[in-house]
Amino acid sequence: MPKSASRTPAAPTPASPNPAAKSNKPTKPQPDSQPQPTPPYHRDAIFHHHGPFSPSFMTEAIRTLVRTLPLDPDEPQAWQDRRAHAALLGLAALHPRDEIEVMIGVQALAAYHAASACWRIGMNLRRPHGESTRHITTAASAARTFDAMLRALERRQVKPLAVPIGRPAPRIWTPDDENPSATMDHMLDRCLATRNRDAANDLTEPPIAWTEHDLAAAREFLERERIEQENEGLDIANTEGILPGGGMIVMEDPTPQQAAYLARRVGLGYRREFEANRLKGIHQLPKIRPIRPGDLIP
């Protein structure tokens, strides 16, 4: 019987280190690559003197918002101050990122206070009537406006601004930034300088000097053009009885040309009367007056 050869298992050879092989262990991020935590930003910073927005802009925005608040003269001053402070807290809660979002927030809060005031007027009555139901309808409309303004602000805040993402950083505002009058004076000086420079470079003809004869001719031309427009479509050449001033006396049996002319003069008279009343603040139509034979139609 042949002798079986003994087999001994070969010792495992150590694997050569491969620097290119990927390790399954998660790599520890470097300290520099970790995102830095955003520093806390107080939402009331928009009202600070050195906040992200110009002090003059925020002062005007606050003034506009406070002027929309419903104020009751009979309530204590502390209640009015509390309402104004609550409105400012509501504006800060919207987290506006630029001046446009501040204006949207002011409009939204104005609509909210309008709805609240109309709810109070429409609901604080024992039995509803025409006035109360009208105020309730107005309150519902203002409430829908408030919701629409909030949705518009939310849609805008979803998109990043053109500036880096995040809340705007505080700024150091100079005294010129806090003085709107100085800013407007500076802009006025710039506009005047540009206009003067353009006027110096503009080679135009000298201004026209109107003489009394030229003014009289212009008035005569305008008067003739007005009469032609008033008599457009009428047969003036075959219309008898026209007075020098353009008027006519109503006859017993006018011809078709005279009837058309009288109707045109009556309509022009009512139009002139309506325009004169509008200058006096009266917007009602003139009363139609009867016309009798012998009346003078100017």
Side-chain angles (χ1 to χ4, degrees), residues 27 134 169 172 182 184-185 209-210 215 222:
T27 59
R134 181 171 60 87
I172 302 300
M184 295 306 300
D185 291 341
W210 289 82
L215 294 176
L222 293 177

Side-chain angles (χ1 to χ4, degrees), residues 45-81:
I46 60 176
F47 304 119
H48 292 174
H49 185 70
H50 293 298
F53 307 130
S54 172
S56 62
F57 175 83
M58 288 306 303
T59 301
E60 181 62 24
I62 295 172
R63 177 176 176 270
T64 303
L65 176 59
V66 173
R67 292 181 66 183
T68 63
L69 302 181
L71 301 179
D72 188 355
D74 298 333
E75 65 182 4
Q77 182 65 33
W79 292 10
Q80 300 180 12
D81 297 341

Side-chain angles (χ1 to χ4, degrees), residues 197-218:
R197 183 174 63 252
D198 295 340
N201 298 332
D202 189 11
L203 301 178
T204 58
E205 297 180 357
I208 300 175
W210 289 82
T211 63
E212 292 295 334
H213 178 71
D214 297 334
L215 294 176

Side-chain angles (χ1 to χ4, degrees), residues 45 77-78 86 103 111 132 185 211 220 224 275 277:
Q77 182 65 33
M103 291 188 286
S132 62
D185 291 341
T211 63
E220 182 181 357
R224 185 168 60 252
E275 293 175 353
N277 291 338

Side-chain angles (χ1 to χ4, degrees), residues 26-281:
T27 59
K28 184 177 181 180
Q30 299 296 329
D32 296 339
S33 63
Q34 292 182 355
Q36 298 296 330
T38 304
Y41 190 99
H42 201 279
R43 66 182 189 179
D44 294 341
I46 60 176
F47 304 119
H48 292 174
H49 185 70
H50 293 298
F53 307 130
S54 172
S56 62
F57 175 83
M58 288 306 303
T59 301
E60 181 62 24
I62 295 172
R63 177 176 176 270
T64 303
L65 176 59
V66 173
R67 292 181 66 183
T68 63
L69 302 181
L71 301 179
D72 188 355
D74 298 333
E75 65 182 4
Q77 182 65 33
W79 292 10
Q80 300 180 12
D81 297 341
R82 182 179 60 192
R83 184 179 297 110
H85 183 248
L88 296 181
L89 292 179
L91 179 61
L94 298 177
H95 297 284
R97 300 174 299 174
D98 59 359
E99 289 80 357
I100 300 299
E101 293 183 0
V102 172
M103 291 188 286
I104 296 176
V106 169
Q107 293 183 9
L109 293 172
Y112 161 75
H113 286 100
S116 301
C118 291
W119 286 127
R120 179 182 65 84
I121 297 175
M123 300 299 292
N124 288 350
L125 296 175
R126 294 184 177 180
R127 59 182 66 178
H129 54 83
E131 291 293 328
S132 62
T133 55
R134 181 171 60 87
H135 285 100
I136 293 174
T137 304
T138 305
S141 177
R144 289 191 296 268
T145 303
F146 174 66
D147 179 71
M149 298 304 299
L150 289 184
R151 292 177 182 273
L153 182 60
E154 291 173 354
R155 287 195 303 268
R156 193 176 194 274
Q157 290 181 339
V158 168
K159 303 177 182 179
L161 297 175
V163 297
I165 301 176
R167 296 297 299 275
R171 294 176 55 183
I172 302 300
W173 299 96
T174 62
D176 294 338
D177 298 325
E178 303 175 17
N179 189 358
S181 300
T183 303
M184 295 306 300
D185 291 341
H186 176 67
M187 296 299 297
L188 179 61
D189 294 339
R190 290 178 56 185
C191 295
L192 291 177
T194 304
R195 186 182 67 178
N196 294 335
R197 183 174 63 252
D198 295 340
N201 298 332
D202 189 11
L203 301 178
T204 58
E205 297 180 357
I208 300 175
W210 289 82
T211 63
E212 292 295 334
H213 178 71
D214 297 334
L215 294 176
R219 296 191 191 98
E220 182 181 357
F221 173 78
L222 293 177
E223 182 66 18
R224 185 168 60 252
E225 189 178 27
R226 182 187 64 83
I227 294 176
E228 291 178 357
Q229 292 179 356
E230 292 180 354
N231 298 331
E232 184 179 2
L234 299 177
D235 189 5
I236 301 298
N238 298 323
T239 304
E240 300 179 355
I242 300 178
L243 302 178
M248 177 179 286
I249 298 177
V250 181
M251 306 173 184
E252 286 284 350
D253 189 13
T255 63
Q257 293 84 358
Q258 292 174 341
Y261 185 81
L262 289 172
R264 179 68 60 84
R265 301 300 298 183
V266 170
L268 292 175
Y270 283 133
R271 187 176 70 177
R272 287 192 292 265
E273 182 180 355
F274 177 71
E275 293 175 353
N277 291 338
R278 289 186 60 184
L279 296 178
K280 300 177 183 179

